[in-house]
Amino acid sequence: ASSLISASSGILQSIEATGDLAPTRTGGGGGGGGGGPSQTDNPKKFDAVPDIWPITQTILGDYTPLVMSRAFHMLLRTMYEQLLTWEPIRQMLTPGGGSLVDSSVLTPLRIAIISAHIGTAFSAGLTFFDTGYCNAENTNDPIICPPKLSVNPWVCDVVIVTLVLQVLTIIYVISQWWKKPGGFSADPTSVAGIAAFMGHPEIEQEFVQIPTEITYAALKKRLKGKKFRLGQFATERGIVKYGFMPVGDEEKDPNKKEGIKDKIGSWWTNLQTKFAWLHNWKNNRFLFDILFGMLLIALLGLTIGAVSRYNKTQVVFLATASANGTGWRIFTALLGVTVSYYWGQIFQDAQTFAPYIDLARGSSNPDATILLRRHSIPLTAFFPLLWHCHYTPAMVALIGLIAELLIVALSGLPHRTGQSRGEFLFWGITCLAILTIMIIQLIILAIWRRKLPHLPRAPESIAAVMTYVAGTSMTRDFNGLEQLKRKERDRAIRDLEKNYAYWWRREEDGRVRWVIDVVPGDKNNRAFMDGASEFS
């Protein structure tokens, strides 16, 4: 952090030494509007806008706040995603246990994440390229002044408010981070990490008896009010292990009353169960992907229109765009943030579903399936996904990184005073390239999702994965691995030299279940999914 501050100070000192940095003001030059001109001593006046402005103004000045805010957001996102992932485990380490399906405790954190996105969009208007500071207020004959970098105070206030919210959230994150479980492999980011903590007779019985085609909304309603914790117990075979166990009525806090978050969570669960179209997660994903694709096509059309009229960009962004350049930059940055946010959801989905495509094909090695971990950000996920031959999710991760550049590129499109032709064309062509790649990848992703097996519940939560691994040979094989560190656990699973698959099987009572389990010796790849069309 100190090196970043020193570098920024050096840049500002360099700009000040050349006389490029103007005092804070609100008027002219595509800024926020209003306010009187700042005082200067006989400024040199330009008759026309040159094609190329100083690089310190165009790049370091006009785009540095947005670039730095997105870099800061990526750091925050890593911490926030870790907390979101580990919060259910942390709650189960408390004496009263925690819920597997109640996510209301994560609502404040999600609000902080959204506010961080909004704050980064507003940072696009934090500084502006000022060429009107030397004009008298309400002049009828404005001239173009020597370029200076100015700050929009009202935008600065908005950014400060979002930063204060992030500071408060970071303090909460730090306070919870030290409570993150360590020394054992309760890893909610992989199938094996969850399966290793199964084995309690009551837990196994409850999740084995869950109806085959139950949706996640119905599962939440079924598990509502039930608490679970991590502790030691004896399995059916008498083996003492550490894992998920139910919280008895005597262990629950009798004085604890239902809070407002519990009421909101119950209301949302009941609402989901009333609307059938919300139950099928595949249909929901497809619907939102269609809407997202329409947004990308609209942005592509806007960019094509702007670039094709590069001599008259005010035609695309309205004649008043120059006078309201800050508002337009913030608006286009918000559109870019929306694209980046939804692509982040696609990225998480691609990581979650990647193991199931290999598992559904039949006999699969554990490294690319049950041991594959979800990562918080695309930067850390790209190479592991590529290494395990999950090429489509790897490309989604790579484009997730490129999506950050799209936010900067979109903020450089709106017409404003001081905008050079080269700058506009560079960002316009960049937008065209990124949006085209995204649309193509979205189509590839839709085709890739068609390869997914029938999954009644999206395996994106601990409870959903437990319904697929309960009562399997795999969980019995993992007895004794639950208190090993992750690398030791993964090595022990590889040493078992077993393959795994996802298929349906008929239980002794005649019920059919979808399971992730060790490949039986008498099963071939085709036999796994034989008859699966009855359920898809």
Side-chain angles (χ1 to χ4, degrees):
S2 60
S3 61
L4 183 61
I5 294 172
S6 300
S8 302
S9 300
I11 292 170
L12 291 175
Q13 289 173 4
S14 174
I15 296 174
E16 288 173 345
T18 59
D20 289 334
L21 186 63
T24 302
R25 63 176 301 279
T26 57
S38 55
Q39 298 298 322
T40 58
D41 296 328
N42 300 321
K44 181 180 178 182
K45 299 172 183 177
F46 290 83
D47 293 330
V49 178
D51 286 338
I52 300 177
W53 291 115
I55 190 69
T56 54
Q57 294 285 345
T58 305
I59 304 299
L60 296 182
D62 226 7
Y63 296 98
T64 295
L66 180 56
V67 172
M68 293 182 68
S69 67
R70 291 307 298 180
F72 180 60
H73 175 269
M74 186 174 292
L75 178 63
L76 286 179
R77 181 178 171 184
T78 303
M79 293 190 297
Y80 289 167
E81 289 291 343
Q82 286 287 316
L83 188 61
L84 286 170
T85 301
W86 285 93
E87 181 61 19
I89 299 295
R90 188 194 67 79
Q91 286 190 35
M92 283 190 280
L93 286 171
T94 60
S99 172
L100 289 173
V101 294
D102 181 17
S103 58
S104 59
V105 294
L106 303 176
T107 301
L109 190 60
R110 292 194 175 101
I111 292 174
I113 293 173
I114 294 174
S115 68
H117 278 291
I118 295 174
T120 59
F122 271 87
S123 67
L126 191 61
T127 58
F128 66 94
F129 205 41
D130 196 352
T131 58
Y133 62 91
C134 60
N135 289 299
E137 189 175 359
N138 300 324
T139 181
N140 294 324
D141 187 22
I143 57 175
I144 297 175
C145 314
K148 292 183 181 290
L149 191 64
S150 295
V151 176
N152 279 302
W154 71 271
V155 178
C156 191
D157 292 339
V158 173
V159 173
I160 288 174
V161 170
T162 59
L163 284 174
V164 169
L165 183 58
Q166 300 314 307
V167 169
L168 295 175
T169 307
I170 289 173
I171 293 173
Y172 171 74
V173 168
I174 293 174
S175 69
Q176 301 301 315
W177 189 264
W178 302 112
K179 299 177 183 178
K180 176 183 173 181
F184 54 91
S185 57
D187 182 8
T189 64
S190 68
V191 175
I194 296 173
F197 279 71
M198 298 292 289
H200 191 282
E202 290 183 34
I203 298 286
E204 295 283 329
Q205 182 67 19
E206 178 164 7
F207 280 85
V208 165
Q209 293 299 324
I210 285 176
T212 305
E213 298 300 309
I214 191 174
T215 63
Y216 185 65
L219 178 65
K220 288 176 67 175
K221 191 171 183 179
R222 185 184 180 103
L223 297 178
K224 178 185 174 183
K226 296 184 179 181
K227 298 288 185 179
F228 303 86
R229 66 181 179 88
L230 288 169
Q232 284 191 331
F233 57 85
T235 65
E236 288 183 341
R237 298 182 178 183
I239 300 172
V240 178
K241 69 173 295 184
Y242 187 85
F244 302 129
M245 57 187 299
V247 174
D249 293 336
E250 68 279 0
E251 298 178 82
K252 295 180 181 179
D253 185 359
N255 298 320
K256 187 176 181 181
K257 298 180 180 180
E258 188 179 47
I260 186 170
K261 291 188 296 185
D262 300 320
K263 293 178 180 178
I264 293 175
S266 300
W267 172 82
W268 178 247
T269 301
N270 293 333
L271 181 66
Q272 285 182 311
T273 56
K274 290 179 180 178
F275 293 94
W277 61 274
L278 288 173
H279 296 178
N280 191 313
W281 65 267
K282 281 190 175 182
N283 291 343
N284 293 342
R285 296 294 201 284
F286 181 73
L287 175 62
F288 281 108
D289 284 354
I290 290 293
L291 296 175
F292 180 65
M294 292 171 63
L295 173 62
L296 293 181
I297 292 172
L299 287 174
L300 183 64
L302 176 68
T303 307
I304 291 173
V307 173
S308 63
R309 296 175 175 83
Y310 64 89
N311 283 324
K312 297 180 179 180
T313 54
Q314 64 271 24
V315 174
V316 178
F317 292 101
L318 306 180
T320 58
S322 177
N324 299 281
T326 297
W328 274 100
R329 288 199 72 191
I330 292 173
F331 176 70
T332 52
L334 273 173
L335 291 176
V337 165
T338 302
V339 171
S340 177
Y341 176 80
Y342 189 78
W343 198 269
Q345 305 304 307
I346 292 176
F347 160 69
Q348 292 296 339
D349 274 2
Q351 288 190 101
T352 300
F353 297 131
Y356 290 84
I357 288 183
D358 283 5
L359 288 168
R361 290 173 182 154
S363 183
S364 302
N365 72 77
D367 283 299
T369 53
I370 64 171
L371 298 181
L372 188 69
R373 298 172 57 237
R374 294 196 312 271
H375 292 260
S376 301
I377 56 175
L379 186 63
T380 58
F382 174 70
F383 289 108
L385 289 170
L386 199 62
W387 176 259
H388 292 298
C389 300
H390 294 298
Y391 299 118
T392 298
M395 287 305 300
V396 171
L398 180 62
I399 295 174
L401 292 173
I402 299 174
E404 296 295 322
L405 180 60
L406 178 66
I407 301 172
V408 182
L410 284 172
S411 73
L413 280 184
H415 172 71
R416 59 195 184 279
T417 303
Q419 183 187 48
S420 67
R421 180 182 300 178
E423 173 195 356
F424 171 77
L425 288 176
F426 173 78
W427 291 125
I429 293 171
T430 301
C431 285
L432 289 175
I434 295 175
L435 289 169
T436 302
I437 292 172
M438 279 186 152
I439 292 172
I440 294 173
Q441 183 59 46
L442 196 62
I443 296 172
I444 294 173
L445 185 69
I447 297 172
W448 177 79
R449 278 181 177 165
R450 292 179 65 87
K451 299 179 183 178
L452 280 172
H454 177 59
L455 291 162
R457 297 158 299 281
E460 54 193 1
S461 67
I462 295 176
V465 175
M466 288 171 70
T467 63
Y468 296 125
V469 301
T472 60
S473 299
M474 177 176 65
T475 60
R476 291 189 287 273
D477 288 343
F478 294 168
N479 286 339
L481 304 182
E482 67 277 358
Q483 290 188 287
L484 297 178
K485 293 184 178 180
R486 182 177 58 83
K487 290 184 179 180
E488 296 173 346
R489 180 206 66 197
D490 291 356
R491 190 183 306 114
I493 292 175
R494 294 188 194 99
D495 290 343
L496 293 174
E497 297 183 350
K498 293 185 177 182
N499 290 332
Y500 302 87
Y502 174 82
W503 79 97
W504 70 273
R505 75 180 182 198
R506 196 172 298 278
E507 302 290 352
E508 294 180 357
D509 59 0
R511 293 178 58 254
V512 170
R513 288 185 61 220
W514 291 94
V515 295
I516 304 169
D517 204 355
V518 179
V519 175
D522 59 345
K523 285 276 187 179
N524 55 47
N525 285 357
R526 184 171 182 177
F528 284 120
M529 302 304 288
D530 186 26
S533 59
E534 300 175 18
F535 305 96
S536 58

